């Protein structure tokens, strides 16, 4: 479902699965990948989530050295936690070598390449992922993200709107559209787009919304959002 509450529930089920059967390779691998995803999106503590992802991936690989999900999780850990690009690229190429038809491997490789500014290569990996599995709309939205980074804003907006036609509640598509409109100087429309996010997902766009409010001259509301973000950061620091 690509929603934080669903991820938390999925993680609980996967934890139950590996407790019930410690030899369940696929469950360890899925838990590893999900733990990294949750840490990246701030659903769990970052360092703790990445440590869990690494441990679960190690368990999966120990049980099955050729499990692509496990190697994918290790690549996510190397990328997001250790920032070791050479290790990331080796792991992702290993994933694809193990299973060239593994669509998520190509999708993650695309995002990793995008983080290195290798836009054309990222688009080719996304094309492969879509060809292998055309159903997941998250990959279609990743295409919108690549187009945004390439500053092909109108194409990015059109792609994100196609995603919303499939699932109007897929909040990240609104963020991509808002980012594109902001980059085009259409601040009022960007503000409106961010505010289309469902209430429970609006926090994901707080920084984006505050930025475009400031650019659009609505400084007081922008300052209020900044204060909200700083309070959340301070609360998190105290909790740690």
């Amino acid at each position: 479902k690509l929603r934080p509450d669903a991820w938390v529930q999925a993680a609980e089920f996967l934890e139950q699965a590996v407790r019930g059967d410690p030899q369940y390779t696929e469950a360890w691998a899925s838990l590893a990948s999900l733990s990294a995803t949750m840490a990246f999106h701030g659903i769990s503590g970052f360092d703790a989530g990445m440590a869990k992802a690494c441990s679960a991936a190690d368990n999966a690989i120990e049980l099955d050295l050729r499990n692509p999900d496990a190697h994918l999780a290790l690549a996510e850990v190397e990328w997001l936690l250790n920032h070791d690009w050479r290790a990331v690229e080796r792991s992702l190429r290993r994933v694809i070598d193990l299973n060239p038809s593994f669509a998520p491997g190509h999708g993650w490789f695309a995002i990793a390449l995008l983080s290195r500014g290798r836009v054309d290569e990222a688009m080719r990996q996304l094309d492969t992922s879509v060809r292998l599995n055309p159903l997941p709309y998250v990959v279609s939205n990743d295409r919108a993200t690549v187009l945004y980074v390439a500053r092909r804003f109108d194409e990015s907006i059109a792609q994100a709107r196609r995603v919303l036609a499939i699932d109007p509640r897929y909040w990240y598509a609104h963020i991509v559209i808002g980012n594109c409109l902001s980059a085009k100087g259409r601040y009022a429309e960007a503000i409106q787009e961010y505010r289309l996010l469902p209430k429970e997902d609006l926090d994901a766009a707080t920084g984006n919304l505050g930025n475009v409010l400031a650019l659009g001259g609505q400084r007081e509301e922008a300052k209020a959002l900044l204060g909200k973000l700083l309070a959340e950061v301070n609360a998190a620091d105290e909790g740690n």
Side-chain angles (χ1 to χ4, degrees):
K1 293 184 177 180
L2 300 173
R3 299 182 58 80
D5 57 340
W7 284 336
V8 170
Q9 188 177 23
E12 291 172 354
F13 283 129
L14 288 168
E15 294 275 11
Q16 292 176 32
V18 296
R19 282 197 301 270
D21 181 3
Q23 305 300 309
Y24 193 174
T25 305
E26 289 77 10
W28 279 118
S30 295
L31 179 61
S33 186
L34 180 58
S35 297
T37 298
M38 290 173 66
F40 175 69
H41 286 281
I43 311 305
S44 62
F46 186 81
D47 289 346
M50 284 298 171
K52 180 181 286 188
C54 191
S55 175
D58 285 343
N59 287 338
I61 288 172
E62 186 176 339
L63 290 166
D64 180 4
L65 186 61
R66 298 183 59 80
N67 187 285
D69 274 307
H71 286 281
L72 178 58
L74 284 180
E76 293 175 53
V77 172
E78 292 291 356
W79 177 33
L80 301 172
L81 183 63
N82 299 329
H83 312 297
D84 185 342
W85 172 251
R86 290 184 179 179
V88 172
E89 188 160 15
R90 281 197 304 271
S91 291
L92 288 169
R93 292 195 184 281
R94 174 68 171 158
V95 169
I96 293 170
D97 287 344
L98 287 170
N99 185 357
S101 298
F102 186 53
H106 293 280
W108 268 102
F109 200 6
I111 298 304
L113 288 165
L114 181 62
S115 75
R116 309 299 293 178
R118 293 159 64 176
V119 175
D120 292 339
E121 292 176 81
M123 192 65 81
R124 286 196 291 273
Q125 290 293 333
L126 282 176
D127 287 342
T128 301
S129 182
V130 170
R131 187 174 68 252
L132 291 168
N133 186 359
L135 296 179
Y137 47 80
V138 65
V139 178
S140 296
N141 201 70
D142 286 343
R143 180 188 293 274
T145 301
V146 172
L147 290 166
Y148 164 68
V149 172
R151 303 187 67 80
R152 292 159 60 180
F153 301 128
D154 290 336
E155 293 175 72
S156 176
I157 290 170
Q159 179 67 39
R161 296 221 182 277
R162 284 193 285 272
V163 173
L164 289 170
I166 299 170
D167 182 2
R169 288 182 57 83
Y170 187 58
W171 55 270
Y172 190 70
H174 289 295
I175 294 179
V176 174
I177 295 169
N179 291 350
C180 289
L181 291 170
S182 178
K184 288 167 67 71
R186 293 160 58 180
Y187 303 131
E189 293 173 76
I191 292 168
Q192 183 179 12
E193 194 68 36
Y194 292 136
R195 286 179 167 154
L196 289 174
L197 270 72
K199 185 177 179 180
E200 62 269 24
D201 297 320
L202 185 58
D203 283 350
T206 299
N208 309 62
L209 178 57
N211 177 260
V212 76
L213 284 166
L215 290 170
Q218 299 183 44
R219 294 175 57 84
E220 293 307 313
E221 189 174 355
K223 286 181 180 179
L225 286 178
L226 177 59
K228 178 177 181 290
L229 286 173
L230 290 173
E232 291 174 355
V233 170
N234 290 335
D237 287 343
E238 291 173 2
N240 292 329

